[in-house]
Amino acid sequence: MLAAAGIASRRTVEAWIASGRIEVNGKPAHIGQRVGPRDRIRVDGRALAAQPATAAPRVLLYNKPAGEIVSAADPQGRPSVFERLPRVRGSRWIAVGRLDFNTSGLLVFTTSGELAARLMHPRYAIEREYAVRVQGALTEDHVRRLLRGVPLADGPARFDTLVDAGGQGANHWYRVTLREGRNREVRRMLEALGLRVSRLIRLRFGPMALPPGLKRGQWRELRTRGRGGASGAAAGRRPAVGACRVRVIGAGTRRRGCVSRCLDGPSLLESASDKRMGRVPIFCL
């Protein structure tokens, strides 16, 4: 329950339980223990309100600038993406994957540890799309090798698609997609071929695309059924987004009454799903 509510990761919660930091109804908790809304939960002696399992998770889309780390704390004191996000009571924001310090673009955050785990799990092979600028242009041999597979230290990697997006002078843009999120994977693939990446932007994670007009350092909250959407900058500005009345529909489709496109969680995640995890709420931009 604590992991699903976004209090901490599943591994962290298990470590807390093993060290006796969590109590349920005055007794030490044990791994796999079931709890309900009436149970009294304490972490390090502090009371924690049990959250209903049916509570809709919150999801944010954030336009990360280069020069921010995807970590809540940094020994070097560099700016963190978490400093820009709105505060949540009784929960925390979990980053769905990471972008390195010099990469910008779409970052997805949620308060649901269960949803984050499903979006990141390799078994679902959720597609990521990037715009990448390299110095010089790719040759036919480069393209062929990038699509067939490039050997890396942690195993071969390849792009599913690679599209020439043009460019002038020494720099050239490409749009690429792949279905995994290894550390610095796009950069390492190109560097393995002797190419230098001068800019990298994530444009899309599954059907969730970087919203047009969302400036660097700003976020936009996706709407779930029963929750209004919002957007804002680091200062916390939260203008309301119009009402969206939709039923469950296919991922990425549009319906009247919705501000932008909708993400139907089940169609995204249940194609190869574990039915025990149930349905994921519908989200709208």
Side-chain angles (χ1 to χ4, degrees), residues 203-285:
L203 304 175
R204 181 171 56 84
F205 190 100
M208 294 175 282
L210 192 63
L214 187 66
K215 297 180 180 179
R216 288 190 294 271
Q218 291 190 338
W219 51 266
R220 181 170 299 171
E221 184 168 0
L222 300 190
R223 184 184 302 105
T224 65
R225 282 184 286 189
R227 176 185 292 277
S231 62
R237 180 175 55 87
R238 296 173 64 101
V241 178
C244 179
R245 299 181 179 86
V246 295
R247 296 181 181 273
V248 175
I249 55 178
T253 59
R254 292 177 180 269
R255 283 281 177 90
R256 178 176 295 180
C258 191
V259 173
S260 186
R261 65 185 183 178
C262 293
L263 161 64
D264 174 12
S267 70
L268 167 65
L269 297 175
E270 287 195 357
S271 57
S273 74
D274 178 349
K275 296 297 182 182
R276 294 173 302 172
M277 302 184 77
R279 294 171 66 81
V280 180
I282 188 170
F283 297 105
C284 296
L285 292 175

Side-chain angles (χ1 to χ4, degrees), residues 21-275:
R21 295 176 59 184
I22 300 178
E23 293 182 352
V24 178
N25 300 325
K27 298 180 180 180
H30 58 83
I31 294 176
Q33 181 174 356
R34 294 181 178 276
V35 296
R38 296 184 179 181
D39 290 310
R40 300 185 306 277
I41 303 171
R42 290 183 176 271
V43 179
D44 294 333
R46 298 179 60 182
L48 180 71
Q51 299 186 14
T54 56
R58 295 178 64 183
V59 178
L60 292 184
L61 304 184
Y62 176 65
N63 189 353
K64 176 191 176 297
E68 291 183 351
I69 62 166
V70 187
S71 176
D74 179 43
Q76 301 179 40
R78 293 173 295 182
S80 167
V81 295
F82 291 94
E83 297 170 1
R84 305 262 198 172
L85 305 183
R87 297 194 178 196
V88 286
R89 297 183 59 183
S91 187
R92 68 186 181 109
W93 292 114
I94 302 170
V96 178
R98 293 174 178 265
L99 294 176
D100 65 49
F101 185 71
N102 294 315
T103 299
S104 60
L106 178 66
L107 259 180
V108 180
F109 292 89
T110 179
T111 55
S112 168
E114 184 178 42
L115 178 59
R118 295 191 72 183
L119 288 169
M120 291 186 285
H121 201 288
R123 70 186 274 191
Y124 298 114
I126 295 177
E127 187 176 77
R128 289 90 158 157
E129 181 178 1
Y130 295 84
V132 56
R133 188 178 70 184
V134 300
Q135 292 188 355
L138 301 182
T139 65
E140 291 185 5
D141 182 60
H142 287 149
V143 173
R144 182 169 56 253
R145 293 169 65 184
L146 289 166
L147 293 174
R148 287 184 176 178
V150 176
L152 302 176
D154 52 355
R158 70 179 186 87
F159 294 139
D160 290 326
T161 63
L162 192 161
V163 177
D164 189 329
Q168 296 180 344
N171 294 306
H172 207 90
W173 283 97
Y174 297 89
R175 292 179 70 142
V176 302
T177 62
L178 68 169
R179 293 182 177 271
E180 55 183 5
R182 284 186 267 168
N183 183 41
R184 301 183 71 253
E185 187 170 10
V186 174
R187 292 182 184 273
R188 290 190 294 137
M189 289 174 63
L190 292 162
E191 290 168 358
L193 301 184
L195 299 163
R196 182 176 177 182
V197 176
S198 57
R199 194 171 178 190
L200 182 61
I201 306 169
R202 182 154 68 189
L203 304 175
R204 181 171 56 84
F205 190 100
M208 294 175 282
L210 192 63
L214 187 66
K215 297 180 180 179
R216 288 190 294 271
Q218 291 190 338
W219 51 266
R220 181 170 299 171
E221 184 168 0
L222 300 190
R223 184 184 302 105
T224 65
R225 282 184 286 189
R227 176 185 292 277
S231 62
R237 180 175 55 87
R238 296 173 64 101
V241 178
C244 179
R245 299 181 179 86
V246 295
R247 296 181 181 273
V248 175
I249 55 178
T253 59
R254 292 177 180 269
R255 283 281 177 90
R256 178 176 295 180
C258 191
V259 173
S260 186
R261 65 185 183 178
C262 293
L263 161 64
D264 174 12
S267 70
L268 167 65
L269 297 175
E270 287 195 357
S271 57
S273 74
D274 178 349
K275 296 297 182 182

